Amino acid sequence: MRPLPLRVIWSAAAAALVSATGLSGSAHAVTYGTPTIKLSASYLSGAVGSTGDPVVTVTVAQSGADASALTVAASGTSKAGVAGTGDVRVTGTGGSRTVAVTAHAQGYADLTLKVTGLGGKTATTTLHYAASPAVQHSADARYLTGASDASAGVDVGGGYVVVANDEDNTLRLYDGAASGAPVRTWDLDNALGADKEVDIEGAARVGNTVYWTGSLGNNKDGEYKADRNTVFTTTVSGSGAATQLAFGSAGHRLRDDLVAWDKANGNRYGFAAGTAAGQVPKQIDGFNVEGLEFAPGSTTTAYVGFRAPLVPPRTGGKALIVPVTDMDQVVRGAKATFGTPIELDLGGLAIRDLRRNDQGQYLIVAGSWAADDNSDPYALYSWDGVAGHQPVKVLDLPTADAGGWESVVSVPDLSVAGARVQLITDDGAADLYGDGVEAKDLTHPEWQKSRTTWFTLG
């Protein structure tokens, strides 16, 4: 047998090498596409000196590369005095990262975020950032974004709270211990048959039923708006992050019944005049409801607390509560019946919220009847809910910061030393970012926010 020619041997060896390495005769260099970068939201808010500000998620990818090989960092800022590139923290690996920003001053900054991929290819996106000023008790404060006019809150367990906003008819579920957007929302426009906001101002929970009331007064221009003459219910199922709400029923005559009742009793409180055309509600002799809670041991008699009028309507006047003895039927459209009115000495302040716990202990947020929320005094009072028993001041609330104290989430056991209570502000009229724009008029919901703060009592 003759030996094989040398060229045949070399050809066989080359073929074996191709088979072993997977190389083809026309090998190609690895190519990478242009990276992509996408934010979960293009707008973000923070606060100077805050703890646990809201964050955004950034998603990155690059064809031909594993996402873990990509880097993300801030590469530019339009206003370093508000937030610089070194104030942007990107954490996480893979295709999804978390972006947090530390604020240094009130104002706005456009932050450029850059992803760098393999092959030196890059892409950028812009995060529009807004920073509000530092506040007192900042370590105990969190920010609820998506709306700025928080007006009532109800504890649903596990640290979660359902919050009403008086500029719309949407209820929002928040984690009350964390800053950020609502976990879930319920738009009740259709259920309520409302064309305008109900101006929700008070809430009270009985079992799994939450009662909500509108302000019942005229709007800020002194005009009657029928949607504000509303009380309604929702039914709670689940708790915490799993909370669900279902609309119950609504009544639209409580304002009219209050006016008729007051007329029949000699116009003692001036309800007819307070609801007259042209009458602004937030006057010392106006008509404006902001508190709602049930009487001690009752599931039918509700205390309706008034921001206006004071009684008598002059400096140093008392705060007014009118008991509605059939609130469970009023929310179904029935005529209201009333108990003996209660007048409370809150140091010349009016009722901004009213809340009771299972022990029958009440907390009252007391504030001015006026609309200048950022300058007038606020205080927290304890009460036993008994007519003739006067409340006791337990805390003067800070007033130097933007926003008015508007809601008590729940009442702790007031007999326990060091009990903690969570309050929420209405920041709708606040100039949060120093540009003269009220928070309620900001065009991006991520920049609208209310503040919730924990206070220690006793």
Side-chain angles (χ1 to χ4, degrees), residues 20-394:
T21 62
L23 298 174
S24 64
S26 55
H28 296 285
V30 176
T31 60
Y32 302 103
T34 300
T36 59
I37 180 169
K38 184 178 181 181
L39 294 169
S40 59
S42 296
Y43 296 84
L44 181 67
S45 67
V48 177
S50 66
T51 300
D53 263 344
V55 298
V56 294
T57 299
V58 59
T59 303
V60 294
Q62 183 183 28
S63 61
D66 189 282
S68 62
L70 311 183
T71 61
V72 180
S75 61
T77 176
S78 65
K79 195 165 186 179
V82 173
T85 56
D87 300 314
V88 179
R89 303 179 309 283
V90 182
T91 56
T93 59
S96 181
R97 319 283 174 92
T98 299
V99 178
V101 182
T102 298
H104 285 297
Q106 182 185 36
Y108 298 95
D110 283 347
L111 299 166
T112 302
L113 301 178
K114 182 170 73 173
V115 56
T116 301
L118 298 185
K121 295 186 176 182
T122 64
T124 62
T125 191
T126 300
L127 176 63
H128 306 286
Y129 182 70
S132 57
V135 297
Q136 299 171 75
H137 305 277
S138 60
D140 292 316
R142 299 293 183 270
Y143 293 88
L144 311 179
T145 66
S148 59
D149 295 77
S151 55
V154 175
D155 183 2
V156 290
Y160 285 77
V161 55
V162 175
V163 178
N165 180 66
D166 62 27
E167 290 293 313
D168 59 34
N169 299 321
T170 297
L171 302 177
R172 296 169 172 85
L173 175 67
Y174 290 96
D175 179 350
S179 294
V183 175
R184 187 172 291 113
T185 63
W186 297 270
D187 184 341
L188 299 182
D189 277 343
N190 291 335
L192 290 165
D195 297 319
K196 299 288 185 178
E197 71 272 14
V198 166
D199 193 23
I200 302 169
E201 293 289 355
R205 181 172 180 175
V206 177
N208 289 326
T209 300
V210 181
Y211 291 75
W212 307 87
T213 182
S215 67
L216 307 185
N218 294 341
N219 69 7
K220 63 181 180 180
D221 298 318
E223 300 171 338
Y224 172 67
K225 299 296 182 182
D227 289 329
R228 293 173 178 241
N229 187 9
T230 298
V231 290
F232 68 96
T233 63
T234 55
T235 301
V236 179
S237 59
S239 64
T243 296
Q244 292 288 346
L245 296 181
F247 179 76
S249 62
H252 304 281
R253 59 175 297 170
L254 181 54
R255 164 182 161 131
D256 308 288
D257 292 340
L258 281 163
V259 171
W261 166 79
D262 191 42
K263 282 183 178 179
N265 287 277
N267 289 309
R268 178 178 179 181
Y269 299 117
F271 286 172
T275 56
Q279 175 66 49
V280 176
K282 295 174 184 177
Q283 298 291 330
I284 199 167
D285 58 352
F287 182 93
N288 195 83
V289 168
E290 292 216 355
L292 182 67
E293 186 53 274
F294 281 78
S298 179
T299 59
T300 58
T301 296
Y303 285 163
V304 174
F306 284 78
R307 176 172 178 168
L310 287 184
V311 183
R314 62 172 182 255
T315 300
K318 293 183 178 180
L320 175 64
I321 290 175
V322 176
V324 178
T325 60
D326 60 341
M327 183 60 85
D328 58 323
Q329 299 304 312
V330 170
V331 292
R332 294 180 172 87
K335 179 181 178 180
T337 58
F338 303 100
T340 302
I342 301 170
E343 299 172 10
L344 300 178
D345 183 358
L346 301 179
L349 299 177
I351 293 171
R352 302 298 292 272
D353 198 24
L354 181 65
R355 182 68 70 242
R356 184 193 76 183
N357 63 17
D358 291 339
Q359 289 84 22
Q361 302 166 331
Y362 291 74
L363 283 176
I364 301 171
V365 177
S368 174
W369 49 265
D372 47 342
D373 287 336
N374 299 339
S375 59
D376 288 314
Y378 283 85
L380 198 62
Y381 283 79
S382 65
W383 185 44
D384 63 6
V386 177
H389 292 187
Q390 289 302 312
V392 176
K393 184 192 289 190
V394 294

Side-chain angles (χ1 to χ4, degrees), residues 396-410:
D396 284 310
L397 297 171
T399 57
D401 305 319
W405 298 106
E406 193 79 3
S407 179
V408 182
V409 174
S410 60

